[in-house]
Every structure is written in C-alpha cells, then in structure tokens.
Amino acid sequence: MTDTTDAGDADRALKAKHRTMWALGDYPAVAKEVVGALGPVLVTACGVKHGDRVLDVAAGAGNAAIPAALAGGDVIASDLTPELLDVGRRDAAARGAELRWEVADAEALPFADGEFDTVMSCVGVMFAPHHQDTADELVRVCRKGGIIGLISWTPEGFIGRMFTTMKPYAPPPPPGAQPPPLWGREEHVRALLGDRVDGVDARRQTVRVDRFAKPEEFREFFKATYGPTIAVYRNIAEAPEKTAALDRALDELAGDALQDGAMEWEYLLFTARRSGVAPG
C-alpha cells in the first residue's frame, strides 16, 4: 500500500467521522433557534441579488442558503452531511424557497472553476479540518470579480471559548487538522486567501442569544443538539468525574456570558472580492 493510498484512506475516515458528528443531535435546532439571525446577515453582506449564482459551502440545513434563495439567488446548498440537507429541503419547501441541495466536501468541491458569483459559508467551512485546502476551493469556484463571504466564530468569543473549555475532554485532533476558531481571526483568513482576493471587509460583530435563561439550560441544550459537544461527552462517557467537571465548566462559561437573560456571541464577518476582471 502506497503512502498516497494511506493518506487517502485517512482522509476518507476523517470525513466520515465529521459527517457522523454533525448528524448527531439536532444541529438544525441550533441554527434556527439560537443563531438564526446569522444567515440573513451574511446574505446581506454578500449583496445577493436576483439571478446571482450562489454556492453555500458547509450549508448545514440552509441557514444562509434559504435566505439567499428568497433574495432571488440561484442557489446551491452543499454540505458533507446528507441528514442536514434533508432537513433543509423540508424547511425550504415550507418557506417557498427553491434551491438545489448537494452532498459535497468543502475541501474538494464538485463544481467548475469560476462557476459562482457568490461563494459563502455561515459558521460552516470553519469546521473543515484543512484550512488551506478549503480556502483554495472557495477561491477556485468563485468567478473573477465575485464575492466570497464568511461568518466564523472568533477564538475570543463565546463559542471559541466553549471549544477551549471542551478541549481537555476531547480526543486528540487528527494530524494536520487545524482549530476551527482560527477562521475567526482576520489575519488567518487573509493569509489563506492571499492576493487572490481584494476589497476585504472584515468586522467583528455579535449575535444576541436569548434562548437560555440559565447556564444549565444552555449546557443541556448543547449536550442534546450540538454535534461537537455530544462527541466530547461521548468521549468521556465512562469517566463520570470528567463529565461532572465539564458540566461545571460549561455552566461557568455560560453563567459569565449571561447578562439579563441573554448572551452576545462574537463572530467575524469577512467579505472579499475575487481578484481579477470579470469576463464580458
């Protein structure tokens, strides 16, 4: 067996693990009940208009893709996890949105070079393990003069700190995988995209989350719905003292963030134009 074959097998196993993790629980409930406002923010920032060819990468259940379609875009929602796309199809039909849904790996998108006017991702591609591969694909499928738009949790914001809190209880990351919240640092995204984009607009903003009145409500909701949190708890399921310690740590994190029954979760809103002159 060659090294190339070994690497390919390892990558397929890693992607299968990611697909399984995001199918755990009920991520669409998180997207809709907790951070539903983010999709429309991204669509507005990208300036999606009628007739634009739009690709939402790591779209989940369509938190951004459906608003883009309702804004008149010709939209494809792509994601590694078919179960999330199934939920999105039903939600889109209920809302009268027409778009395509395709299973796709953010690191190897099955689309042509320059196929889209807008390529976007709402707290999605940040979870693909190999950041440069993902960034290269975002650029490749965006036409010259097109828009790349991303929303990513910052390392210093609530979700970034949640991942830091969970890290001691999680299994070690696979070789080569990079931490998701790095996408929330402007300098990291600029380095990934390089001189292939210009007109960068990067700003830190917050989304108000008023879904949880008490820290325990946040903890139990995420233990039941959010794939990464579920996976961490499964990793320590045979160690009740660790489970109790993580419970306390998440309660403390949420308690510090709750002010008058609400939290402000920080994210990076990053938009840029694909360098070069659009044909025609």
Side-chain angles (χ1 to χ4, degrees), residues 37 80 87 91 173 220 238 260:
L80 192 64
V87 175
D91 190 25
E220 290 304 312
E238 303 303 319
D260 299 323

Side-chain angles (χ1 to χ4, degrees), residues 109-142:
L109 294 169
F111 306 111
D113 295 359
E115 185 171 341
F116 299 96
D117 301 302
T118 299
V119 179
M120 62 183 185
S121 185
C122 184
V123 293
V125 295
M126 64 179 292
F127 293 102
H130 307 110
H131 295 189
Q132 192 62 65
D133 290 346
T134 302
D136 291 348
E137 285 294 272
L138 297 178
V139 172
R140 181 184 66 79
V141 300
C142 186

Side-chain angles (χ1 to χ4, degrees), residues 73-160:
D74 178 9
V75 180
I76 296 177
S78 68
D79 198 275
L80 192 64
T81 305
E83 292 87 344
L84 299 181
L85 299 180
D86 290 341
V87 175
R89 287 188 186 94
R90 294 193 293 270
D91 190 25
R95 297 172 63 180
E98 295 185 5
L99 62 157
R100 289 165 53 193
W101 304 84
E102 294 196 19
V103 176
D105 180 355
E107 298 178 2
L109 294 169
F111 306 111
D113 295 359
E115 185 171 341
F116 299 96
D117 301 302
T118 299
V119 179
M120 62 183 185
S121 185
C122 184
V123 293
V125 295
M126 64 179 292
F127 293 102
H130 307 110
H131 295 189
Q132 192 62 65
D133 290 346
T134 302
D136 291 348
E137 285 294 272
L138 297 178
V139 172
R140 181 184 66 79
V141 300
C142 186
R143 68 166 175 83
K144 292 181 178 179
I147 298 295
I148 296 173
L150 307 168
I151 283 181
S152 307
W153 301 119
T154 66
E156 300 82 10
F158 181 82
I159 296 297

Side-chain angles (χ1 to χ4, degrees), residues 154-267:
T154 66
E156 300 82 10
F158 181 82
I159 296 297
R161 287 184 286 126
M162 184 188 75
F163 276 95
T164 299
T165 299
M166 296 192 302
K167 184 177 180 180
Y169 306 93
Q178 295 174 276
L182 284 179
W183 281 89
R185 288 183 175 161
E186 178 185 347
E187 62 272 21
H188 181 69
V189 184
R190 282 182 177 269
L192 292 172
L193 300 177
D195 61 4
R196 297 174 296 177
V197 300
D198 53 36
V200 169
D201 184 0
R203 59 187 72 182
R204 291 190 177 215
Q205 300 183 170
T206 62
V207 59
R208 182 177 176 83
V209 175
D210 57 8
R211 172 67 171 70
F212 313 107
K214 299 178 181 179
E216 296 84 357
E217 292 181 14
F218 160 78
R219 182 236 302 163
E220 290 304 312
F221 183 83
F222 264 59
K223 285 174 70 172
T225 61
Y226 194 60
T229 303
I230 296 170
V232 170
Y233 272 97
R234 287 189 176 184
N235 185 58
I236 58 175
E238 303 303 319
E241 72 286 353
K242 290 185 178 180
T243 298
L246 182 53
D247 281 349
R248 291 191 297 270
L250 290 177
D251 286 353
E252 181 178 354
L253 176 70
D256 289 343
L258 271 170
Q259 300 291 332
D260 299 323
M263 305 185 228
E264 296 288 340
W265 293 3
E266 185 182 68
Y267 61 89

Side-chain angles (χ1 to χ4, degrees), residues 42-59:
L42 182 59
V43 171
T44 298
C46 291
V48 175
K49 61 186 183 299
H50 183 77
D52 282 352
R53 300 164 299 166
V54 180
L55 176 65
D56 186 3
V57 186

